[in-house]
C-alpha cells in the first residue's frame, strides 16, 4: 500500500482543476495507519494546485525581470536612434563630392562645435549598440566616432532600427506572456480557495460513510 491511497471514491464534484474533474474521496494515511480527517484531506487535495501556483509565481518573477530588461533596451536603443538621426541630419548639409566617405571632421556643413557634438552623439550611440551586441554589418566591425564616415552612419542607422524593432517586438511578446501568467496565477489561487472549500465540505461526509 502506498503512503497515500484513495480508498473510497463516491462521485465527481462539479469542480475542475486544470481540466481534471475532482472527486469526493477519502484518503488513507498508511504511515499513520488511519484515515485523514477533513482538514488534512483538504490540505492534501489542494497541495497539487498550490504547487502549480508557486511555479507560476516563480515564472512571473523571472518574466517580470525580462520585461524590465527589454524595456530598458528599447529605451536605450531609441536614444541611440535619436543620436544617430542628429548626425545624419548634420551630414545632409555636406554637399561635397564623394561625401559618402567623409568623416565627421570632414563635414563641411557643420561648424567645429557642431562636429564635436556630432562625435559625442555618435560615440553615445555606438556605446549603446555595443552594450546590446548589435552587429551592424554581421562581420563584427567596430566603429569609432572619430573615423566613422557618412556612409557608415547610414548603415549604422539601419542596423540600429532593425535592433530596436526586434527588441520592441520581443518586449511586446514578453509582456503578453507576463499578462497570461498573471491571469493563470489569479486563476490558480482562486481555484485553491474553491477547492479547499469544496473538499472541506465533502471530506467529513465522505469519510463518515466508511464502514457503514
Amino acid at each position: 500500500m502506498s503512503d497515500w491511497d484513495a480508498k473510497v471514491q463516491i462521485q465527481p464534484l462539479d469542480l475542475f482543476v486544470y481540466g481534471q474533474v475532482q472527486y469526493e474521496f477519502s484518503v488513507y494515511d498508511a504511515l499513520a495507519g488511519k484515515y485523514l480527517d477533513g482538514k488534512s484531506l483538504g490540505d492534501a487535495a489542494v497541495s497539487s494546485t498550490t504547487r502549480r501556483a508557486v511555479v507560476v509565481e516563480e515564472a512571473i518573477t523571472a518574466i517580470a525581470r525580462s520585461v524590465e530588461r527589454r524595456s530598458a533596451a528599447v529605451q536605450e536603443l531609441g536614444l541611440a536612434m535619436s543620436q544617430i538621426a542628429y548626425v545624419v541630419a548634420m551630414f545632409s548639409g555636406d554637399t561635397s563630392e564623394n561625401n559618402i566617405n567623409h568623416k565627421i571632421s570632414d563635414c563641411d556643413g557643420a561648424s567645429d562645435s557642431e562636429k564635436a557634438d556630432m562625435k559625442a552623439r555618435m560615440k553615445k550611440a555606438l556605446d549603446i549598440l555595443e552594450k546590446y551586441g548589435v552587429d551592424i554589418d554581421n562581420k563584427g566591425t567596430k566603429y569609432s566616432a572619430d573615423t566613422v564616415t557618412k556612409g557608415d552612419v547610414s548603415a549604422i542607422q539601419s542596423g540600429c532600427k532593425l535592433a530596436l524593432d526586434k527588441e520592441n517586438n520581443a518586449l511586446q511578446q514578453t509582456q503578453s506572456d507576463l499578462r497570461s501568467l498573471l491571469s493563470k496565477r489569479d486563476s490558480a489561487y482562486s481555484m485553491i480557495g474553491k477547492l479547499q472549500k469544496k473538499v472541506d465540505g465533502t471530506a467529513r461526509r465522505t469519510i463518515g460513510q466508511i464502514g457503514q
Side-chain angles (χ1 to χ4, degrees):
M1 180 180 292
S2 64
D3 292 348
W4 298 92
D5 188 19
K7 303 296 290 184
V8 178
Q9 180 173 292
I10 305 300
Q11 63 182 5
L13 297 171
D14 183 20
L15 178 65
F16 292 80
V17 177
Y18 293 96
Q20 299 297 316
V21 66
Q22 303 301 299
Y23 292 91
E24 292 185 356
F25 61 90
S26 61
V27 175
Y28 183 79
D29 183 349
L31 294 178
K34 65 179 182 180
Y35 285 93
L36 298 176
D37 62 22
K39 182 178 184 301
S40 297
L41 179 57
D43 291 342
V46 300
S47 62
S48 176
T49 305
T50 302
R51 286 194 296 272
R52 289 175 183 268
V54 170
V55 169
V56 170
E57 197 74 59
E58 292 173 347
I60 286 172
T61 299
I63 292 183
R65 292 196 189 101
S66 181
V67 168
E68 291 178 0
R69 289 193 297 269
R70 292 194 183 282
S71 295
V74 167
Q75 184 175 2
E76 289 195 82
L77 288 170
L79 174 60
M81 277 294 293
S82 69
Q83 302 301 306
I84 296 169
Y86 175 85
V87 177
V88 169
M90 292 302 297
F91 260 126
S92 66
D94 187 353
T95 59
S96 304
E97 292 185 10
N98 300 320
N99 61 15
I100 194 73
N101 294 317
H102 276 191
K103 300 175 185 177
I104 291 176
S105 58
D106 300 324
C107 181
D108 62 10
S111 66
D112 289 343
S113 61
E114 288 173 331
K115 290 175 183 178
D117 190 27
M118 289 170 69
K119 285 186 179 182
R121 288 171 181 266
M122 199 67 225
K123 182 180 186 307
K124 186 172 187 64
L126 291 172
D127 287 346
I128 292 172
L129 295 177
E130 183 177 5
K131 175 181 179 180
Y132 290 102
V134 179
D135 189 354
I136 300 300
D137 58 3
N138 296 318
K139 297 178 181 178
T141 301
K142 299 295 183 181
Y143 295 94
S144 167
D146 292 325
T147 59
V148 73
T149 66
K150 181 179 180 179
D152 292 335
V153 173
S154 180
I156 292 169
Q157 184 179 43
S158 296
C160 184
K161 185 178 185 305
L162 286 174
L164 178 58
D165 289 344
K166 180 179 179 180
E167 196 64 41
N168 192 49
N169 290 337
L171 172 60
Q172 292 180 21
Q173 181 59 56
T174 306
Q175 288 173 328
S176 177
D177 293 341
L178 180 59
R179 287 192 295 270
S180 177
L181 280 174
L182 287 170
S183 177
K184 288 181 179 179
R185 180 201 57 187
D186 292 344
S187 295
Y189 282 121
S190 176
M191 182 62 69
I192 290 171
K194 292 179 181 178
L195 184 58
Q196 183 73 66
K197 184 176 180 180
K198 281 278 188 179
V199 172
D200 286 348
T202 60
R204 292 184 183 280
R205 183 176 70 253
T206 303
I207 294 174
Q209 293 177 358
I210 297 173
Q212 293 182 358

